[in-house]
Amino acid sequence: MLKPDTRKRHVVSYENMSAELAAAFAEKYPKGFNDYLPDLKEYKKPDGTPFYAVTMEFPDAIYLVKIQIKTDDAEDIERWLEGEEEAENEEVAGASVSADADGGTLPDDNISQYGGDDEEPSENI
């Protein structure tokens, strides 16, 4: 028969981890987000709202480290599917390309940072 797990359980946000827990987290996930993404799981609060966390286990405790992530909500997806978001973005983009006080258009000072398709890539990148 299995002995019950008597380790203490804690929930802590990524931003509020202790120095010891942060060091263990960095050791387990040295590349950050790309490393812990497969371990990220959704949990439900007592009121039913979800949060996402990664489990960190130690001999005396188990921590759920809450990670803040933005998820799509149904209304955003519906607007995107209906094309409303694109129309709003076009309106905003059109408004930002307005004329300046002299009646001319605003210059794009950083155009030199973009290469053309016919240029060879730089080896300094």
Side-chain angles (χ1 to χ4, degrees), residues 28-121:
K28 183 174 180 181
Y29 302 112
K31 294 180 184 172
F33 183 76
N34 286 333
D35 278 354
Y36 67 72
L37 186 59
D39 295 340
L40 197 63
K41 292 194 170 57
E42 180 180 1
Y43 297 91
K44 299 282 186 193
K45 293 179 184 178
D47 67 0
T49 58
F51 69 93
Y52 296 86
V54 174
T55 303
M56 296 286 297
E57 294 191 25
F58 298 95
D60 61 337
I62 299 173
Y63 290 88
L64 281 181
V65 179
K66 293 193 302 185
I67 308 291
Q68 293 290 333
I69 62 169
K70 184 177 186 308
T71 58
D72 294 329
D73 80 2
E75 289 179 13
D76 288 342
I77 293 171
E78 273 186 48
R79 280 195 304 270
W80 179 78
L81 288 171
E82 294 170 359
E84 291 176 22
E85 186 173 297
E86 287 179 20
E88 289 173 12
N89 289 341
E90 287 175 11
E91 288 174 18
V92 170
S96 67
V97 185
S98 63
D100 65 7
D102 296 329
T105 59
L106 298 173
D108 186 358
D109 293 335
N110 288 331
I111 196 72
S112 63
Q113 71 182 347
Y114 303 104
D117 292 335
D118 56 342
E119 293 180 6
E120 292 293 320

